[in-house]
Structure formats: C-alpha cells, structure tokens
Amino acid sequence: MLGMIAGDGLNQRQVGFNLFLVGFLILFLELACIRWFSAKVIFLQFFTNVVLLAAFLGMSCGCLAARRTTNWLALFPGLAVMTFTAALVTMELYTNWGFAIDVGRQASPQEVFFGTEYRNPDLAKFVVPIEAIAGLFFVLIALMFVGLGQMLGRAFDAYSNRVAGYSLNIGGSLAGIVGFSLLSFAQAPPAAWFAICCAGIAYLLHQDKALLVPRIVALVVAAGFSLFYTDRSGIHETRWSPYYAIDLNKSNGEIFVNTIGHQMMIPFNDSGSSYSLIHLLQKHSGGPPFKDVMIIGAGSGNDVAHALRFGVDRIDAVEIDPVIQNVGIHQHPDKPYQDPRVFPHLDDGRHFLRATEHKYDLVVYALVDSLILHSGYANIRLESYLFTEQAFQDVRRVLKSDGIFVMYNYYRKGWIVQRVASMAKNVFGCDPLVLPLLYSDTLASSEAVGFTTIIAGCNPRISNAFRERGKFWLSSVPPENLLVNGFDKSPDKTAQSGDWLPLAPAKLVVDSEGAKQSTSDDWPFLYVSGKLIPDLTIRSIILLGVLGFGLIYFFKPKGAWQPNNRMFFLGAAFMLLETKAVVQMALLFGSTWLVNSAVFFTALLLILAANLYVIKVPSIQLPRHYAGLLTLLAVTVLVPLDAFLSGGIVWRYAIPCALSLGPMFFAGVIFARSFRDEGNPDQAFGSNIAGSVIGGLTESFSTLLGFRYLLIVAICFYLLSAWMPTRGKC
C-alpha cells in the first residue's frame, strides 16, 4: 500500500525516494567538505578525519533529533554560509594578520607535519593551537549535517520496511560516491560540488514548504562560495585534482597545494643542482651514466629534466597527482616530458614498484612528501607505504645488481633521516651515504636538518670516491657543475657565478629513540617519533570527544534517554573495519583516489548485499554470523600484511581482499538483522553513527598498536555489541 504518512503528506514511495536522496546528499556533501575544508582551512589537510567525524556526528545528532519540532534542514543554508565564512576569515587572519597556528610544537615534535614550520610562533602576533581550529570546524561542520540526519531519522520512522529503507539509503550513498568520483575525474571545481548539494537540499526544503527567499539566496551564496577565492589577476591558475587544490603561479612556476608551498618548476640553467647530484657523483666517481631510471614523485619534472642531461636511455616518471603531472607536461620551461626517453606513469609509487618487471640502474624518491592524508579514515599519507622496510625490499627487487637507490628531501628532523638510513642498511646490507646540505661532519637524531640526500645500495664506487678524495663541491648553478669535477679539492670558482658548497657523508649520532624505530607495512608512520600516541592526538581526542558528547547531549530526545548500546558498538567496530580495508587496499593496489573510492563503493555494495540477504532470509541466527565475523577478524590479526606481498594472484590479491572486505558482509548482516527489530529506528541509527565517531577517534591508536592489532579493538567492540540486548519493536 502507498498510503499517506500521517502528518507528513508523503506516501511510501516518496519517503523511499527521500531515503535514497538523503543517502546521496550525505555522502556527496561529506566528500565535498573533506576536499574543500582541507584545502581552505590552513593545515586541516593533515587532520581530514576531523571533517569525516564531524559529518558522522552531525548525522547522529540529526537522527536523535528526528522527533523534535525544530527543522534543522531549514537552518542548513545559514549554517553553510557561516561555516564557509569562518574558513575564509581563518585564512585571512593567517595570511595577512600575523596569525600563527601551532601544530604539535614542530620545533621539537613527536610527529612531523611538512609545511607547518615556516611561521615562527614566537614572532607571531597571535598563536592558536591547531586543535582549537580543528575543534571549531568540527562543531560547525557537524551542525551542517544535522538537518540531513534529522530528515534521515524521520524517513526511517516513516518507512514501513526497515531493511528495505536502509537499502534505499545505501543505494543513495552508492550513487553519491559514483557521482563525486566522476566529478573528481573531470577535475570539476567546488562550485559544481556544492551546487549539486544545494540543489538537493533545496528540493527537500521545497517538499517541506520551507524554501523561502532568504534560504534560496543563502544556498546560492553557499554553492558559489569558492568563487570568492578566485584570482582575478591572471597570474595564478587554480585547479582541483582528486587530492589537492593546486595553485600555479604562472610568473615563476611555483606550485602550492592546499595553501602550502609544494614545488617549483625551475629551468636547468637557473637552479636546482641537487637534482643533478646523484648523476654528478656517478660520473665523477668513474661510473657510466645511468641508463634505466625510475623517478617516484616525478611531479612537474625537475628531476626528469636533470636526468636527461646525463645520457639516460629511459626514465619511468611516476607521479600520483594528474594535475601536477599535467602542469609539468605542458608548462615546465625545459619540456622534460616531451623527450621520447621519458615514459610518464600516473600511479602510486609503491604500486608501480610492486607491479613493474623492469630493472633499473637508479631508483629515485624525488621529494616524496604528499602534504595530505590518504583518506579521513586512517592516519597515513599518500607516501606512507613508500617508507617501510617492505617498500625498500621492493626497490631492491627492481634494481640491477649494481643499482643505486636515492632519496632526498627536507626531512626536518635527524631521527627521520636516521630511521630511513637504518632501514636501507637492513635491506641492502650496506651502510648508506647521508649527505646533508649544508655540510656537517655529524648528524644527530635530535637536531633539525635541511635538505638531505640518502644514497643506498651496495655499489661501492661513490663511497670509495668520498673516502679517497674527500669532499664533493656542488655549484648552485647546474650548468657550472658540468664543467668541473666536483671531487677536485680546489675547484676554480673565480670564473663561475654560482655558490659552491661542499658535500661529504655525515656520521650519524643516535641520541633519541625515534631513530631506532623502523617502519613497516603494518606501522607505516615515518613521521611519528615512535610507537606512541602523540600528545597532539591525545589532546585532539579529548577535545573532539567532549565537543561530540556535548552535541549529542544537546540533540538527544527530551526526557530520560539511553543510547542504543548494541547499535553504538556495532558502529564503532565497523568504522575500524573500514579503516583496515582502506589501508589494506592502499597497500595492495596503491594509495590513489580511485582505489579509495573503490574501497568505499565495495563496502557499500557488501552492506547492500547483506541487506538483501536479511530480506530474503528472515530467520537469521546472529550467533553464527558473529562467529563468522570474529573468525575472519582473528585470522586477519594473526596473519601479517607482508605475508601477501608475493606469490600468485590468488594469494597476493584475492585472499587479502577477502580478509579485509569479507568481515563487512557479516557485520552488515548483524547490523541489518538488529536494525530490523529495533523499536525506534531513528534512535538506533543515531546511536550507530555516534559509535562510528568513537571508532574514528579510536583509529588514533594505530600509531601505538599498528593496524593489525587495531583490529583487536574492533573485536572487543563486536563482543560488547553481542553482549548488549536488542530492543524489540514497540
């Protein structure tokens, strides 16, 4: 029967459509907010889980407020404009008013965040901790999602077939992730994302007879808010890749990503001699030119341009970001990507290492620092899986017998350099050369470091040259290095215009525990000083937890109320399952945005399959499905990730995918079966989403436990959910 719903004026078909539409809008808006606020709120890109958890919290609060008279969806236009304005004001204060943000005391950090150290807090007019900024936007973004959550809760209450309604909602979420992925592929700007969101919300407001003129104006302003950031001078070109907001300064070739300086396209004749260093050392130590070269993090092409000057036959230039690669192909002044010896690859570096069968004389990690998290679900960055012992083993596999592995970057802290050097020694069996620029006899774990080159592998030619001939001299003007042998003790510097700097291997002095902690595919946290939860993370968990509980208390149903404990723990556990799936698939298939989208799409498909199973099989025994779920989780905990890094396609891909994604089906069956029999679906779903927020905060324990043992926490959550009684229908 499609009879009218009392009080709402909507029939079952219309309510079902609303469940689908709200599912679409919530997921689409969530992804849009993660992208936009990460780009426009300074340093929030390192804490994208704040935006994700805020979206979940807002949904939870809205479901809990489903039976309240206040229409929170009608408040969305004003809340959106207020939140976007806060982002604009924050950026203005930071850019023009001496406003500094302290990100975990980067002078002596427990976790290093590249790009956060440029403004000295001691000299700033105002200093605000990043956790305060995160807390502000955590609340504002959560409030934006309350209206959609309230609409979702009311629709669940009104739809007679509980599991079918949930399936419609999941179908909308699937459409949301597909839609946003297509826009990401097309590199559509934020105005397109938010126009879609605001159009959907306008439809819901019109349906509710609440689409008044002021709200229409506010929705138009919110949809076009990103246009306030548009440069009118023509000097800057802004494009949105699936990872960043990329700003190219066409006057000097400087590239900013998410408001942080990232790289600069430099003509070979002007600057950038450090890109030539490994080729100069090879040449002047008596070695032949490198013929087959892999450059991971090729970016806009500086490393490629320099390698081409030294007689290479082939360069595999691997870059993860399509816009940065495209900028280099079309706008680098030296046109390195136009050379027929260069083969550009748009791929994750670790995945390319695992997939290629080619052998190389030289593998280069070229300024590999992503400045962003892989997703809001896990505290890993795009390059995290490049800096593990297993990744270095992949490099060793693709190197020729006398091949060389080079890494260079502004590593910031000595313990990071020493950690990388120690892992290289463990994998290759030989001491790497560590060349700080500026030169220093020693490099201690506790000291700050600048640009540093690490040369690994067991080819002794370069190390013997340093031992026999002393320092190597490098000019800041690349062409000048082609005219002299840098190992000459007294290069004729009078005829040259560049500054000449000495280089020699530094002796590593270990004076902190951070240098002794290696990274692995299970614990891929290169920039965390040890197996610990950083103080910044602890403060953030406490702050977000207090704010979250405060909002839950504000929106909870009036009168005596107790959260649905079973649904709460199911939500917390499932969030950790998603986290594990994200990191596992990133390792297997690469940390690209496409892999990320595919993981979430597959998770939603598994939930939908679980719903259909519950509809078709009404007499489901929960203990059996709990047993299947816990068995799969136990196997995943007991079997290490690197067990699947070799072998055939079944062992290498099929089995780890089944172990990562299989538990989601069992978890989906348990949730759908429990949700079907709940007396108050709005409260049950709200409790479940609130649990997801707790699960997201619990993910922070991965820096202490690693990802395998983080699943033990998920197992505990599932055991607690099984122990909690279900609530029958009213």
Side-chain angles (χ1 to χ4, degrees):
M1 291 289 293
L2 298 178
M4 304 301 288
I5 304 295
D8 290 337
L10 301 178
N11 59 39
Q12 288 282 281
R13 182 174 296 166
Q14 291 170 319
V15 174
F17 177 75
N18 283 357
L19 283 168
F20 180 91
L21 178 60
V22 171
F24 171 88
L25 290 173
I26 285 176
L27 193 82
F28 195 97
L29 181 61
E30 172 192 309
L31 295 172
C33 286
I34 288 174
R35 290 279 306 283
W36 195 85
F37 287 100
S38 298
K40 296 305 179 183
V41 178
I42 188 71
F43 305 144
L44 197 62
Q45 65 200 66
F46 295 112
F47 308 96
T48 52
N49 62 329
V50 169
V51 182
L52 176 74
L53 297 180
F56 283 166
L57 177 64
M59 280 192 288
S60 174
C61 291
C63 285
L64 296 179
R67 302 181 189 185
R68 291 197 175 189
T69 56
T70 302
N71 184 353
W72 278 87
L73 190 65
L75 299 178
F76 173 87
L79 289 169
V81 171
M82 181 173 65
T83 306
F84 292 149
T85 301
L88 179 63
V89 170
T90 301
M91 182 58 68
E92 181 69 19
L93 290 172
Y94 179 81
T95 305
N96 298 318
W97 292 83
F99 185 70
I101 299 176
D102 176 48
V103 186
R105 297 181 61 249
Q106 289 300 294
S108 181
Q110 293 175 308
E111 182 174 7
V112 172
F113 299 96
F114 287 4
T116 63
E117 73 279 1
Y118 296 127
R119 182 166 298 175
N120 188 345
D122 296 333
L123 302 178
K125 297 178 183 178
F126 305 100
V127 180
V128 177
I130 185 63
E131 51 268 42
I133 300 294
L136 170 65
F137 285 95
F138 181 70
V139 172
L140 290 175
I141 295 170
L143 291 175
M144 286 174 57
F145 280 83
V146 171
L148 288 170
Q150 187 181 49
M151 177 70 71
L152 181 62
R154 289 174 176 174
F156 273 135
D157 276 346
Y159 204 72
S160 58
N161 189 324
R162 193 75 46 76
V163 178
Y166 181 48
S167 299
L168 288 169
N169 182 250
I170 293 298
S173 298
L174 283 167
I177 199 166
V178 170
F180 197 84
S181 296
L182 290 174
L183 289 179
S184 296
F185 181 79
Q187 299 172 17
W193 317 340
F194 291 115
I196 291 172
C197 295
C198 290
I201 289 169
Y203 168 80
L204 292 174
L205 289 174
H206 173 72
Q207 185 184 81
D208 207 29
K209 298 180 175 58
L211 188 61
L212 305 179
V213 172
R215 291 178 185 138
I216 295 174
V217 172
L219 286 172
V220 171
V221 171
F225 208 92
S226 60
L227 300 177
F228 286 107
Y229 294 88
T230 302
D231 176 68
R232 311 293 181 187
S233 66
I235 296 175
H236 292 265
E237 177 186 347
T238 300
R239 294 168 62 184
W240 287 80
S241 82
Y243 306 98
Y244 304 110
I246 296 174
D247 178 272
L248 169 64
N249 187 325
K250 292 185 285 188
S251 66
N252 61 11
E254 188 173 11
I255 296 173
F256 275 70
V257 299
N258 288 2
T259 71
I260 296 178
H262 191 254
Q263 56 187 278
M264 179 178 288
M265 292 183 290
I266 308 172
F268 178 86
N269 291 331
D270 291 352
S271 184
S273 294
S274 55
Y275 301 118
S276 295
L277 178 59
I278 186 57
H279 302 279
L280 292 167
L281 291 173
Q282 174 76 352
K283 176 181 178 180
H284 296 309
S285 64
F290 298 114
K291 295 300 182 182
D292 294 289
V293 177
M294 178 197 297
I295 300 176
I296 293 178
S300 55
N302 291 332
D303 310 87
V304 178
H306 283 250
L308 290 170
R309 301 284 179 142
F310 291 90
V312 300
D313 288 343
R314 176 191 176 99
I315 301 176
D316 283 319
V318 185
E319 170 58 36
I320 197 171
D321 192 290
V323 171
I324 291 177
Q325 185 186 72
N326 182 269
V327 167
I329 289 173
H330 293 98
Q331 302 194 45
H332 194 288
D334 290 339
K335 305 297 182 184
Y337 284 106
Q338 311 304 321
D339 193 291
R341 293 171 291 171
V342 178
F343 296 84
H345 302 272
L346 190 63
D347 197 0
D348 168 72
R350 179 68 183 280
H351 179 257
F352 189 84
L353 277 171
R354 293 186 65 204
T356 186
E357 296 299 328
H358 203 78
K359 294 292 184 179
Y360 298 91
D361 303 295
L362 174 66
V363 173
V364 179
Y365 279 7
L367 290 169
V368 182
D369 49 5
S370 65
L371 305 184
I372 197 170
L373 293 184
H374 168 248
S375 76
Y377 282 80
N379 187 30
I380 58 172
R381 305 180 198 179
L382 293 181
E383 77 274 22
S384 289
Y385 281 122
L386 285 171
F387 290 97
T388 67
E389 286 200 14
Q390 293 85 354
F392 287 6
Q393 289 166 3
D394 286 336
V395 173
R396 183 179 180 181
R397 181 187 65 82
V398 303
L399 279 174
K400 298 177 183 178
S401 58
D402 59 346
I404 293 175
F405 176 33
V406 175
M407 298 161 277
Y408 45 78
N409 211 324
Y410 297 88
Y411 288 105
R412 274 67 172 184
K413 300 302 297 184
W415 54 263
I416 297 178
V417 173
Q418 293 184 4
R419 179 180 289 178
V420 172
S422 176
M423 291 192 298
K425 180 179 180 180
N426 291 341
V427 170
F428 290 93
C430 306
D431 286 317
L433 299 178
V434 177
L435 306 175
L437 187 68
L438 301 166
Y439 167 71
S440 176
D441 288 328
T442 61
L443 191 154
S445 311
S446 57
E447 67 180 284
V449 298
F451 190 91
T452 305
T453 298
I454 303 169
I455 304 174
C458 288
N459 186 330
R461 185 184 301 108
I462 295 175
S463 58
N464 288 341
F466 273 114
R467 185 166 50 253
E468 294 169 4
R469 304 175 67 180
K471 296 182 178 65
F472 183 89
W473 291 86
L474 186 72
S475 172
S476 61
V477 179
E480 294 181 358
N481 293 301
L482 304 178
L483 304 176
V484 300
N485 185 332
F487 281 113
D488 289 345
K489 292 187 177 180
S490 300
D492 181 11
K493 301 187 286 292
T494 59
Q496 281 86 33
S497 59
D499 296 324
W500 288 80
L501 298 173
L503 287 166
K507 179 182 178 181
L508 303 184
V509 178
V510 178
D511 60 357
S512 76
E513 293 299 314
K516 302 176 184 178
Q517 177 63 58
S518 62
T519 55
S520 68
D521 287 344
D522 183 55
W523 194 84
F525 302 108
L526 176 66
Y527 308 120
V528 180
S529 60
K531 288 193 173 182
L532 53 83
I533 304 175
D535 292 344
L536 170 61
T537 303
I538 293 173
R539 293 195 300 270
S540 299
I541 290 173
I542 294 172
L543 176 63
L544 299 185
V546 169
L547 292 173
F549 279 116
L551 285 175
I552 291 289
Y553 182 81
F554 178 80
F555 284 100
K556 72 176 182 64
K558 294 181 179 180
W561 175 77
Q562 182 180 0
N564 189 311
N565 293 325
R566 167 173 283 194
M567 304 301 282
F568 177 88
F569 287 118
L570 286 175
F574 193 81
M575 186 71 169
L576 295 181
L577 292 191
E578 289 187 290
T579 297
K580 182 62 168 62
V582 165
V583 299
Q584 179 83 64
M585 297 303 107
L587 179 60
L588 291 176
F589 302 105
S591 298
T592 65
W593 71 276
L594 277 173
V595 171
N596 216 19
S597 297
V599 171
F600 299 132
F601 185 84
T602 303
L604 292 171
L605 278 181
L606 289 170
I607 294 172
L608 188 59
N611 290 351
L612 296 176
Y613 174 72
V614 171
I615 292 172
K616 295 293 185 180
V617 185
S619 58
I620 290 175
Q621 300 298 316
L622 284 182
R624 294 181 181 178
H625 291 83
Y626 267 110
L629 170 63
L630 296 174
T631 299
L632 284 176
L633 292 179
V635 171
T636 307
V637 171
L638 294 173
V639 179
L641 289 172
D642 54 7
F644 302 105
L645 296 185
S646 61
I649 189 170
V650 173
W651 180 259
R652 196 171 182 180
Y653 294 106
I655 293 177
C657 285
L659 288 175
S660 293
L661 300 173
M664 291 187 178
F665 175 77
F666 287 96
V669 171
I670 292 168
F671 173 83
R673 170 65 174 78
S674 302
F675 187 57
R676 185 188 68 187
D677 295 337
E678 287 294 338
N680 298 301
D682 52 345
Q683 308 303 307
F685 201 78
S687 297
N688 182 260
I689 301 300
S692 297
V693 176
I694 298 301
L697 294 175
T698 305
E699 185 277 332
S700 301
F701 284 83
S702 60
T703 57
L704 175 66
L705 302 173
F707 288 112
R708 273 175 66 199
Y709 296 127
L710 187 65
L711 282 183
I712 295 176
V713 182
I715 290 172
C716 292
F717 283 147
Y718 274 121
L719 290 173
L720 285 170
S721 74
W723 182 55
M724 295 295 169
T726 187
R727 299 180 181 182
K729 292 183 179 180
C730 294

